[in-house]
Amino acid sequence: FMVRKYGLTIDNLLAAEVVTAAGEIVTASEDERADLFWAVRGGGGNAGIVTEFTFRLAPVSQILGGELILPATREVVRGYLDYVTAAPDDLTTIAHLMHAPPAPHVPQELVGQLVFSILVCWSGDLAAGQDAVAPLRALATPLVDALSPMPYPDIYRFTAHQAEPHAAAIRMMFANDFSDAALDAALAAMQAASSPYNLIQFRGLGGAFARVPAGATAFAHRDQRFFFAIIGLWIDPAVEAAPHQAWTAALWEQVRHEGRGVYVNFLEEEGEGRVREAYPPATYARLAEIKQTYDPENLFHFNQNVPPR
């Protein structure tokens, strides 16, 4: 929830203890096995098994956070996209086209309606935070405004339901922009969702996330402005998966041409081509070379696999 302020988790990793394919236990950091340290920061488990992390921590106390629920219209979604990547670094948001869930802060008459939900985390001065979120509140008359000062861990109350067991069919991409046609397709898909739990996620990137050089880690999509995911979600694992997979695939085919790259942790079993989309060519080549050094027999292949060079 603070990626625009402090970057990704891997950007705050100082060292990792790694078990290699040869059974060695080694330390990887900027000063020791720097190539392995580069690879474990975004390489998806291809170079070894990390058994210990050393992180740089950031002091955070009160935030301005919570959920802002707005009408689900193209104009609202467009306004959100136009603002969030240019907002101050202290503002990180995650937004969803979704059906309003039953929650203490959601009026009963709103439950089940298609809405645009924005999860907000402002980690700077609280008074300045009110100014920073004002453009979001101005996108439309809020259906729910549950933004308030809170201790940072309290923001996770708004996502606690996501820890419930569930199944999902996911397609994800990074993008620099979205056409009106793509936003209209997303809205139409949600009107015909295969499950009341389906959602489409938008995240505005930029800030500290974008200031890390693309070649600094095995995660290299630093220049992309948006994170976009289609999530067909169902609760009962005994339910037939096919309708939800078909729903996700249908929208994916309409919008995928507007994206570039994918976050490896959101990949399903989508084939080698999609694994290559997770890494620009130079990054993929370097990861394959490091794989050759540390895992030449491809022992670690139950992952989004990058074979050794």
Side-chain angles (χ1 to χ4, degrees):
F1 273 108
M2 291 185 286
V3 67
R4 301 186 71 253
K5 178 69 175 291
Y6 296 112
L8 295 166
T9 301
I10 59 172
D11 300 332
N12 295 279
L13 183 65
L14 299 176
E17 181 184 85
V18 184
V19 180
T20 70
E24 297 179 295
I25 301 175
V26 301
T27 297
S29 69
E30 292 285 4
D31 301 318
E32 190 173 357
R33 293 182 177 83
D35 56 345
L36 182 59
F37 187 56
W38 178 90
V40 299
R41 289 177 294 159
N46 275 285
I49 301 170
V50 179
T51 54
E52 184 175 300
F53 300 93
T54 303
F55 288 109
R56 178 192 305 108
L57 301 183
V60 178
S61 54
Q62 292 286 104
I63 65 165
L64 176 63
E67 185 175 23
L68 185 68
I69 299 180
L70 302 174
T73 68
R74 184 216 292 169
E75 291 73 25
V76 167
V77 178
R78 176 68 69 199
Y80 168 82
L81 296 171
D82 287 346
Y83 176 63
V84 289
T85 60
D89 289 2
D90 282 305
L91 183 66
T92 295
T93 60
I94 301 175
H96 297 97
L97 284 171
M98 61 187 293
H99 293 93
H105 62 286
V106 177
Q108 182 60 39
E109 62 271 19
L110 190 61
V111 173
Q113 292 188 33
L114 181 59
V115 298
F116 190 61
S117 163
I118 307 173
L119 295 173
V120 171
C121 178
W122 169 269
S123 53
D125 175 78
L126 293 180
Q130 296 291 349
D131 293 335
V133 300
L136 297 176
R137 286 176 164 141
L139 293 174
T141 301
L143 302 172
V144 174
D145 188 338
L147 304 185
S148 66
M150 63 181 66
Y152 174 65
D154 280 8
I155 189 65
Y156 291 97
R157 289 189 292 109
F158 294 89
T159 60
H161 60 283
Q162 295 176 8
E164 294 295 321
H166 61 272
I170 302 172
R171 291 294 183 271
M172 179 272 161
M173 67 186 186
F174 292 104
N176 270 322
D177 204 357
F178 298 95
S179 67
D180 286 347
L183 299 186
D184 288 344
L187 287 160
M190 287 302 299
Q191 292 285 2
S194 63
S195 160
Y197 307 107
N198 288 12
L199 50 88
I200 298 172
Q201 184 177 106
F202 298 86
R203 304 189 198 189
L205 303 174
F209 166 93
R211 287 193 290 273
V212 175
T217 65
F219 176 86
H221 299 292
R222 303 287 184 167
D223 60 335
Q224 299 296 289
R225 299 173 64 222
F226 302 111
F227 175 114
F228 174 85
I230 307 163
I231 305 174
L233 193 152
W234 64 103
I235 302 299
D236 185 352
V239 166
E240 174 60 46
H244 311 295
Q245 294 169 338
W247 178 85
T248 298
L251 178 56
W252 177 239
E253 289 306 315
Q254 293 180 73
V255 302
R256 64 181 301 178
H257 63 281
E258 299 195 8
R260 192 183 77 192
V262 58
Y263 179 37
V264 70
N265 287 350
F266 270 62
L267 277 176
E268 298 190 318
E269 294 184 11
E270 300 175 44
E272 180 187 354
R274 283 284 278 163
V275 175
R276 285 183 173 270
E277 287 183 43
Y279 307 103
T283 303
Y284 188 95
R286 184 179 179 189
L287 193 54
E289 290 178 1
I290 295 170
K291 178 82 167 180
Q292 178 69 35
T293 300
Y294 289 95
D295 185 14
E297 301 300 321
N298 204 13
L299 175 67
F300 301 126
H301 62 275
F302 294 107
N303 49 30
Q304 301 298 348
N305 194 237
V306 177
R309 177 179 55 78

